[in-house]
Amino acid sequence: MPTLRRRPAERTRITAAGAEAALVEQYTALVRLAYLTLPATLSRHRRVLMAHAAVQRALPGARAVRVPGPRAAQAGPGGAEDALRVRVLRTALAAAHRPAGWPRALPPPRTLLPRLPVVWGLRVFPRAGGAEEIALGQALAGASAPARAAFVLRRVDGCSTARAAGLLAAAGVHDAEEGVREAVGLEAAAGGAAEALLRSQEFDACSVQTRPTDLLRRARRKRLAGAVAALLVITAVVFGAPRGGSAGQRPSAPASAAGLDAGRLSRAAPDAWADTSRVDFTVWPARGGRKDDTALLTRALDAWAAPSDTVAVTTTPGTPADAPPRPPQLLFAGDVGGHGVVLLTDGDRLARYGDPAGDGRASLALARVDDADVTTAAAVVLARAGGSARYLTAPWVAEVTRRDLLRPDTPAKPLHVSRDGLTDTVPVAPAAGCDRRPVLQLRSSARIVEHHAFLVADLGGLSPVHLTYTPLPGHGTPPARQPREATGGQALLAWARTACGLGPWRGGAVRAVNAWDFAEQELPEKGGHAVWSCARASTWRGPGDVALLLRAPAPSVAEPARVVGRARSTTACSRFGQHVVASARWRSPAKHWYLVAAGSRAVTRITVRGAVDTARSGRVLAVRAPERGAVRVTARLDGGEGLAGVGS
């Protein structure tokens, strides 16, 4: 990116009337800018209030504000808008500043100061968006605050590169150019839909939803406050009274506030799932034959709040094991496999408690499920034993069948489900070998979505993994295709050769796996038709791992595809990494070795350096090469950008 050239900032005076008019007109845009610039580690409720506070405090009054650009430009409305942007950015960026020695475990000090507006008794937050908005939010959370600000200034507010850098510099950013460069890289990953996503309800802090705070906790605090007040009165009376020859005993300290209580567990209404826009675990009703068994529920709560040595606790990667911050919601309590099982959620995590089997230990399994949806909240594993599992299905699941991914031509078989949503036993994939890959095929109720069937696979977590498929692009340079449900014939054939590659992702807190066929190629010397695929495992934590696969002709529809590359914690093959190039050594039927390579839809040229030096126009390459020897494969995109091979 070329070096940015900015006009020197000048100090100029903006009238209060002009600033107020600009603030009212641009209020929503300014709040969005502040909301996305503020630290992503803050809760959405806190960010909404701080964003409004930053904008409402931005009126400069009689003070001069340093803004970029020539003085003449500051007299009009654009000057007032820029002055407000600078003040909003200055406040939002300062919120992320930590003084030297400030503990990392504590939020930045400026976020601890009370500021108007203040909301009591309610939590406010923007409405939830879809999967693309969530992915963009995760990408923004990983960027620096100046980069997030520049991203919004350029993609939503329409600022040029130089103007965005000038505004950042005026707001006190030391290296504004670096912030803009990071934003440009973020834009390249986000694609052309970034502006529409940023304007969506997910990032609109002016159109918010409200929810009450924890009413039970508030009631307990009132009771505790009353108890403390009474204790103070008693203490004053006792210590203020005359003392006789024998000293009276001091009153004991008040008991600690009551902990989690089985009687205070929240429970969703039976039909809540059919009358809400948020279809996830929070709308599961309480089910099971022991949902009113206070003793069982108390054991489950005690195990979660303060597990003893008799409880075996397991967590998926990235899942905190601390006690729930509020009385959790009950999803299930009943007997499964001869012992009691309780399923709870605190909105962000699932907790599955199991009574001891025989002389064994009780168990507690915790897993992240924040931002779950109709597919990733469709089922939970309640028990595993003897190579099989039993699932509890969501109330919106109207039909449950099972199938084997390695047998794409075999129809799905019906699976019996009890009135409480508990399935019969289902075989699970073996830990070693790949002779079967059983999955559930679920169909959603028409009350929430019509004609919607999808696949989920057990990879060792509490909730099974959603499997999707993205087909090959059309000819030319068509728009990017979106992942779709992996229930069609083409998707099942692709997954038949991909399924054995799911093993490395077992137990890794994977949320979904998408198989993306990004290129096809005719292999040399009549080697047949090959398809290049990228399997991406997206985790509940946000990062994703990918495996690049080459499906060359094979005698069996279920022969595992060849893994030709891997990468961890990458945006490749996602909404923010839509371009990929991969390569592999391949031996022709005539026993000749080739280097074959292919790129996604926007690749226009592939270059190889190392043991082979060549370059070819187009999306595929095949060249004679030695069997061994290091090579580096890169590509050129239709916009002129370079692209490195995944795993290089």
Side-chain angles (χ1 to χ4, degrees):
M1 183 175 139
T3 302
L4 302 173
R5 299 182 62 185
R6 303 193 312 270
R7 297 180 183 271
E10 300 178 358
R11 188 171 296 278
T12 186
R13 194 177 301 279
I14 305 298
T15 65
E20 184 177 8
L23 185 144
V24 171
E25 182 179 354
Q26 299 294 324
Y27 189 82
T28 299
L30 291 170
V31 170
R32 181 189 293 109
L33 176 62
Y35 180 78
L36 290 171
T37 304
L38 285 165
T41 52
L42 298 173
S43 68
R44 292 190 296 170
H45 170 84
R46 189 72 179 133
R47 287 171 67 193
V48 167
L49 296 184
M50 291 187 67
H52 283 272
V55 175
Q56 293 174 15
R57 292 167 55 88
L59 286 177
R63 287 178 290 177
V65 181
R66 186 177 296 277
V67 293
R71 185 181 301 274
Q74 310 307 322
E81 292 173 11
D82 279 354
L84 292 172
R85 288 187 181 115
V86 168
R87 291 179 65 86
V88 168
L89 286 173
R90 192 175 295 161
T91 302
L93 292 168
H97 175 68
R98 295 174 181 268
W102 186 263
R104 298 294 301 177
L106 295 179
R110 287 181 182 266
T111 65
L112 302 176
L113 300 176
R115 298 283 177 86
L116 294 176
V118 175
V119 177
W120 292 94
L122 287 175
R123 307 292 291 178
V124 297
F125 47 89
R127 296 181 180 275
E132 293 186 340
E133 287 85 350
I134 293 171
L136 177 58
Q138 292 170 343
L140 289 172
S144 66
R148 294 196 299 270
F151 188 62
V152 177
L153 289 170
R154 284 167 50 86
R155 297 308 298 264
V156 179
D157 296 344
C159 295
S160 65
T161 298
R163 188 179 178 194
L167 290 170
L168 289 178
V173 177
H174 176 68
D175 192 353
E177 287 87 350
E178 177 58 31
V180 174
R181 278 192 289 268
E182 187 179 350
V184 171
L186 194 60
E187 292 172 13
E195 180 178 348
L197 294 176
L198 288 173
R199 294 183 184 275
S200 68
Q201 60 185 11
E202 175 82 14
F203 307 111
D204 185 357
C206 289
S207 300
V208 297
Q209 297 184 100
T210 61
R211 291 287 186 275
T213 55
D214 190 341
L215 301 178
L216 295 175
R217 178 178 292 182
R218 285 161 57 185
R220 287 199 302 270
R221 287 173 176 171
K222 288 180 180 178
R223 291 195 297 269
L224 179 60
V228 171
L231 176 66
L232 291 176
V233 172
I234 294 172
T235 302
V237 170
V238 171
F239 282 93
R243 302 193 178 209
S246 62
Q249 293 187 355
R250 289 182 64 176
S252 60
S256 61
L260 299 175
D261 187 342
R264 295 174 177 171
L265 289 171
S266 64
R267 305 181 186 219
D271 291 331
W273 60 271
D275 191 27
T276 180
S277 60
R278 180 179 179 180
V279 184
D280 59 11
F281 290 108
T282 61
V283 295
W284 277 37
R287 292 174 288 176
R290 301 178 68 179
K291 62 185 178 183
D292 297 318
D293 187 334
T294 302
L296 173 62
L297 299 179
T298 300
R299 291 196 297 274
L301 289 173
D302 289 345
W304 194 356
S308 65
D309 293 339
T310 61
V311 179
V313 180
T314 58
T315 61
T316 55
T319 303
D322 54 337
R326 64 190 69 85
Q329 178 181 338
L330 176 63
L331 306 183
F332 178 87
D335 288 325
V336 182
H339 63 282
V341 175
V342 177
L343 187 65
L344 304 164
T345 181
D346 64 356
D348 293 324
R349 295 172 294 172
L350 280 181
R352 184 190 64 201
Y353 167 81
D355 266 344
D359 296 331
R361 301 166 67 190
S363 63
L364 179 71
L366 297 169
R368 282 183 61 171
V369 290
D370 43 323
D371 295 319
D373 57 24
V374 66
T375 57
T376 52
V380 174
V381 178
L382 284 191
R384 288 192 189 89
S388 63
R390 297 187 70 183
Y391 300 86
L392 182 66
T393 58
W396 59 82
V397 172
E399 182 182 67
V400 181
T401 57
R402 60 186 178 90
R403 68 184 314 140
D404 190 342
L405 288 178
L406 302 185
R407 293 162 179 81
D409 298 330
T410 302
K413 300 178 180 179
L415 181 63
H416 177 261
V417 180
S418 71
R419 291 183 59 187
D420 283 331
L422 186 61
T423 71
D424 287 351
T425 57
V426 181
V428 298
C434 189
D435 58 349
R436 67 178 187 272
R437 281 293 182 265
V439 296
L440 295 182
Q441 181 167 313
L442 310 177
R443 181 175 59 82
S444 301
S445 168
R447 296 175 68 181
I448 57 173
V449 58
E450 293 184 350
H451 310 299
H452 179 227
F454 54 96
L455 299 183
V456 292
D458 182 6
L459 292 187
L462 273 183
S463 57
V465 175
H466 182 209
L467 303 183
T468 57
Y469 171 70
T470 305
L472 284 163
H475 297 289
T477 309
R481 293 191 173 183
Q482 299 301 315
R484 58 194 64 183
E485 301 303 347
T487 53
Q490 186 180 9
L492 292 173
L493 287 172
W495 267 108
R497 301 195 59 187
T498 306
C500 289
L502 291 172
W505 292 322
R506 290 184 60 86
V510 175
R511 170 189 180 130
V513 181
N514 180 54
W516 171 32
D517 288 348
F518 64 86
E520 56 186 337
Q521 181 177 17
E522 294 298 329
L523 297 174
E525 299 185 11
K526 299 181 180 180
H529 185 77
V531 176
W532 295 81
S533 181
C534 180
R536 176 180 174 84
S538 299
T539 66
W540 290 99
R541 307 187 308 278
D545 300 343
V546 301
L548 275 297
L549 307 171
L550 175 61
R551 299 205 304 268
S556 168
V557 295
E559 181 171 323
R562 178 183 167 196
V563 179
V564 299
R566 290 189 181 275
R568 295 180 58 83
S569 297
T570 177
T571 60
C573 308
S574 73
R575 176 69 182 79
F576 305 106
Q578 299 182 20
H579 311 299
V580 63
V581 62
S583 63
R585 292 301 210 295
W586 174 81
R587 194 179 187 187
S588 74
K591 312 301 183 185
H592 298 143
W593 283 99
Y594 281 82
L595 178 76
V596 292
S600 52
R601 60 189 179 88
V603 169
T604 59
R605 186 175 180 83
I606 298 176
T607 301
V608 183
R609 294 289 180 263
V612 178
D613 285 293
T614 188
R616 303 283 174 84
S617 297
R619 294 173 50 200
V620 297
L621 174 147
V623 60
R624 289 282 294 270
E627 179 181 358
R628 294 180 177 82
V631 295
R632 180 173 180 268
V633 177
T634 58
R636 180 73 59 185
L637 302 179
D638 52 9
E641 304 92 338
L643 180 67
V646 173
S648 299

